[in-house]
Amino acid sequence: MTVTTVRVPAKVNLELSVGPVRDDGYHDLVNVFHAVSLFDEVTAEPADELSVSVEGPSSVPTGPDNLAARAATLLAVHLGVAPRVALHIRKDIPVAGGMAGGSADAAAALVACDALWGAGLDRETLLELGAQIGSDVPFALLGGTAVGLGRGERLTAVEVTGEFHWVFGYADGGLSTPAVYAECDRLRAASGRTPHWPNVSDDLMAALKTGDAAGLGRALDNDLQPAALSLRPALDSALAAGRELGALGSIVSGSGPTCAFLASSASHAGELAASLARTAHFAEVRQACGPVPGASLV
Ligand code: C5P
């Protein structure tokens, strides 16, 4: 094989229940991931040495810190080969937007290099390698809708009926995930409340199982949202604008600052996207649906 291309989706968290901070600095989660139809594409081509090029925002690092580069290196070490590959990333997922764009690129690089190097690793091994790179990488491999436990990397697929229709509002500039978790800890400490043990809502699971968009809209919940709002107060009015314009639910996606709005149908999502684009809240407004499959060769 001389070149491989992998398409990989963004995620939104339908429920992000964050427990207390652990000794290793991570938080135990119950994390309901949902893959949506906003995609990055990663191409892997044989080369003399590892390199990364990016088409899209200039803020993506192209050195060894790039998560796709780390994934290729980790896979090469696992296989005992040299990472002689040129990775090209075509970005459409917002950078530092709370939609796991970097993790998606890592997942895509694993799948692309596995095919390029003819390794044929099984899904379990790719999931384990992915978890070493980041908490959200295994879900980008799996796609669909899934509950993640532990750091979010221990996944169980969730049964979903039909499709859900979404509008995403991208902010100007990202938020750092560690900074948002740290702010969550700070707010909790300041309130004097002990963090709850993370759990998953029965209403959310029932809405997914029956394809009930209104029920899903009511059940959306993100424990990181107060922290994201504390760091970026303007998100509060952005979320309110979506509700006023008829969204079934409005939520910060993961650690933010992307805002996710649930619509009742594709046409409702189109109307909502057009209305939100006319407000001054977002740098860009996008329409998508979910669930969609995880990282796949194209
Ligand atoms: O796993 P990943 O490198 O993507 O996580 C980025 C950061 O997010 C971590 O360094 C940590 O600050 C925070 N995090 C956390 N608990 C999790 C997942 C991530 O505190 N379960």
Side-chain angles (χ1 to χ4, degrees), residues 25-29 103 133-136 150-152 177-178 181:
Y26 284 89
H27 297 71
D28 271 312
L29 305 178
S103 302
I133 299 160
S135 310
D136 291 347
R151 286 186 291 131
T177 303
Y181 273 100

Side-chain angles (χ1 to χ4, degrees), residues 19-86:
V21 66
R22 314 191 306 202
D23 290 345
D24 64 1
Y26 284 89
H27 297 71
D28 271 312
L29 305 178
V30 174
N31 190 348
V32 184
F33 291 105
H34 182 68
V36 296
S37 59
L38 300 167
F39 300 99
D40 279 0
E41 217 172 73
V42 175
T43 298
E45 226 176 319
D48 291 339
E49 57 182 23
L50 176 63
S51 70
V52 177
S53 55
V54 179
E55 205 175 317
S58 57
S59 51
V60 181
T62 53
D65 283 352
N66 181 285
L67 289 182
R70 284 179 47 199
T73 305
L74 183 69
L75 179 64
V77 168
H78 179 82
L79 297 172
V81 300
R84 292 153 62 89
V85 62

